[in-house]
Amino acid sequence: LNSCILINYYYIELNQCFWCFSGQMTDLLFMEKDLVSSLKDYIRAEEHKLEQIKKWADRLDVLSSAATQDPEGFLGHPVNAFKLIKRLNTEWRELERLVLRNMSGAFISNLTIQRKNFPNDDDQTGAAKAMMRLQDTYQLDTNIISTGELPGSSSVASLTVDDCYDLGKVAYSEADYYHTELWMVQTLKQLDQGETSNLVDAITVLDYLIDSAYQQGELERELNFTKRLLELDPTDQQVNWEMKDIEYELFNQKKVEATEEAEGRQRRKSRGRPDDDLFHMRKYEQLCRGEGIRMTPRRQSRLFCRYYNNNRHPRYVIGPVRQEDEWDHPRIVRYHNIVSDKEMEKVKELAKPRLHRSEVVGEETVHFRISQSAFLRAYEDPVVDKINQRIEDITGLDITTADDLQVANYGIGGQYEPHLDFRQKDEPEEFEELGSGNRIATWLLYMSDVPAGGATVFTEVGAAVQPIKGTAVFWYNLFPSGEGDYRTEHAACPVLVGSKWVSNKWIRERGQEFRRHCGLQETD
């Protein structure tokens, strides 16, 4: 009103106070009414948004409260680990976009700062591939993984239909059509069971399944998926034509197979690895599952447990250590209660800030080892020095030329494929540079129990050693003659449930001249 009076004062002669007349004021009234209506819509939208955020926060609050009570136990379940990575990479990003509409400064600022530490797309892809590695190694059904009822797990964490779909998409993006089909079938199954999704429908899933079956040359499955797609939309002429093409191809394929069978020819399918490599990996995976272990009862009866003092070593005359035979040829022994919980926690504490991915070699990323590792020097802490001294006292070997203590952590799907600790004759450069010789022996200390998976297996001899916290296993990599013992080829099986912490010491040849006498025979 004051504004109108002021305007009228200045422009009274020209009668320019347009909004001072009743007709225009009515328009303003209805305009205000529209604004109020829009404001209420905005409030309802904000309330709906806040309700969504509140539900999301309540769900995460319950989950994080339970998880932080036993972080390693919670993250030891691969489904929990995968879903955590997925949440931080995908769901928190969606929440950020939702909250940004309201410009909630403090929260957004904090979230934006924290996001630089979040997992990225590569991490989510890596977690998905780890799930599939576990699936293959331990021959797990997708439904078992989806329901979270894994062997050795005391908790249950399930995958939603969207989670299964994401796993299938990762496999598809990697041209892994075998796993694409497995996870898309699981997605379709959960949709059929009534689970709802805002991201995917049965038609989209069937498109993936049809293409995956086609890429694998599985015409019958491709035909079945196409028929299912046609059931959802019988009017789709394109699908009708595609189904007729598949039926025609399948008919011709069966004719060819019948001819080949009659002629006695057999076809072999390649799975991307040479036959020797496939056989080798199958042995490795069988041992990880507890299959194919080659130890007869007669050989087993010759393995003993004993109290060991290393020829009356001064430190162990009164308190000898417990030594157990794990294998005879090559000889692998385990030492029990070799370090305390306090010492192991200190080693982990020292290593954690320096852990880095072990799968990177030079400029090239490889996948035979999926873990994080760090090296600790003896002078860094008295605990490291004590452990090194203990290794020397028990093994009787000089560790002054040994490698630094390596600490490694294997998380979700963490593994180390079959390898030798010693270097072969065609790669001597490393030893010449170090001047300490080949790796004569390996000391492997387990710093955690692993509820399922994570065994150390020796693929050439069919041995499997289970991780037991506080114990260490020891074996010689070289014969007394200095030749490499290829029977010591070993691998770290993928961790199915739990988190695996180990530390190892590679002991070198130099300094052992008077501690392990040389010999000309390749004997244990």
Side-chain angles (χ1 to χ4, degrees), residues 11-24:
Y11 296 101
I12 191 166
E13 293 183 343
L14 298 175
N15 197 21
Q16 293 296 317
C17 183
F18 182 77
W19 294 111
C20 292
F21 295 95
S22 61
Q24 281 72 33

Side-chain angles (χ1 to χ4, degrees), residues 392 395-402 507-508 510-512 515:
E392 179 166 322
T395 64
L397 298 176
D398 185 354
I399 65 160
T400 56
T401 60
I507 303 172
R508 299 277 181 169
R510 298 295 178 262
Q512 318 310 333
R515 301 197 181 210

Side-chain angles (χ1 to χ4, degrees), residues 267-280:
R267 295 186 302 164
R268 292 175 61 188
K269 292 185 178 179
S270 173
R271 296 181 59 187
R273 282 184 185 247
D275 288 344
D276 288 345
D277 287 351
L278 279 175
F279 177 72
H280 209 56

Side-chain angles (χ1 to χ4, degrees), residues 172-435:
Y172 188 82
S173 68
E174 298 286 319
D176 179 358
Y177 303 111
Y178 170 73
H179 287 105
T180 301
E181 184 175 344
L182 289 179
W183 283 105
M184 288 301 175
V185 165
Q186 181 64 32
T187 304
L188 193 61
K189 177 182 177 181
Q190 292 183 208
L191 285 171
D192 290 343
Q193 290 172 345
E195 192 173 337
T196 58
S197 168
N198 295 323
L199 300 178
V200 63
D201 55 28
I203 291 175
T204 304
V205 175
L206 283 165
D207 284 337
Y208 275 106
L209 286 169
I210 290 168
D211 191 51
S212 298
Y214 167 76
Q215 296 288 350
Q216 296 176 86
E218 299 292 345
L219 291 177
E220 285 197 28
R221 293 208 297 271
E222 184 184 359
L223 179 61
N224 291 333
F225 293 138
T226 305
K227 287 179 179 178
R228 173 73 190 274
L229 184 60
L230 198 59
E231 290 174 4
L232 296 175
D233 187 4
T235 63
D236 193 326
Q237 290 301 317
Q238 180 67 32
V239 177
N240 265 299
W241 294 332
E242 289 173 359
M243 187 174 72
K244 294 183 185 302
D245 287 342
I246 298 167
E247 288 174 336
Y248 179 72
E249 288 181 37
L250 186 59
F251 174 75
N252 287 335
Q253 185 187 75
K254 288 181 177 179
K255 282 176 60 178
V256 171
E257 288 175 352
T259 303
E260 288 181 343
E261 186 176 349
E263 294 175 357
R265 294 202 303 267
Q266 293 182 343
R267 295 186 302 164
R268 292 175 61 188
K269 292 185 178 179
S270 173
R271 296 181 59 187
R273 282 184 185 247
D275 288 344
D276 288 345
D277 287 351
L278 279 175
F279 177 72
H280 209 56
M281 289 303 295
R282 286 197 192 102
K283 282 203 304 182
Y284 158 56
E285 292 177 352
Q286 283 177 343
L287 288 170
C288 290
R289 294 192 296 270
E291 304 168 5
I293 297 174
R294 298 198 293 271
M295 177 63 77
T296 63
R298 185 174 181 179
R299 284 175 66 185
Q300 182 75 39
S301 67
R302 296 171 182 167
L303 303 181
F304 296 98
C305 296
R306 64 190 67 81
Y307 284 104
Y308 177 77
N309 60 23
N310 192 15
N311 294 321
R312 298 184 61 80
H313 190 284
R315 287 192 175 93
Y316 296 105
V317 171
I318 296 176
V321 295
R322 289 167 53 202
Q323 185 191 69
E324 177 185 2
D325 295 331
E326 286 282 351
W327 206 257
D328 50 2
H329 305 293
R331 189 170 186 235
I332 305 167
V333 295
R334 187 196 296 266
Y335 296 99
H336 290 265
N337 301 322
I338 209 67
V339 290
S340 67
D341 288 344
K342 187 176 180 180
E343 288 173 323
M344 288 184 283
E345 289 307 311
K346 185 61 180 180
V347 170
K348 292 179 190 177
E349 179 188 325
L350 292 169
K352 280 178 181 177
R354 283 181 271 169
L355 289 174
H356 63 276
R357 294 174 71 154
S358 305
E359 61 176 336
V360 177
V361 177
E363 298 291 328
E364 193 173 339
T365 299
V366 294
H367 302 285
F368 61 82
R369 186 175 192 182
I370 311 296
S371 67
Q372 291 184 317
S373 63
F375 284 91
L376 301 180
R377 297 181 182 274
Y379 60 76
E380 293 187 49
D381 192 274
V383 166
V384 180
D385 188 45
K386 285 180 182 177
I387 290 174
N388 287 340
Q389 186 61 54
R390 208 166 294 159
I391 295 170
E392 179 166 322
D393 293 342
I394 292 172
T395 64
L397 298 176
D398 185 354
I399 65 160
T400 56
T401 60
D403 294 6
D404 292 327
L405 188 71
Q406 181 181 225
V407 181
N409 176 235
Y410 296 83
I412 171 176
Q415 67 165 3
Y416 197 167
E417 288 188 4
H419 63 282
L420 294 163
D421 280 352
F422 66 87
R423 293 295 182 264
Q424 301 171 61
K425 289 183 177 179
D426 59 351
E427 42 184 3
E429 294 83 2
E430 179 185 356
F431 313 131
E432 292 176 2
E433 181 181 340
L434 292 173

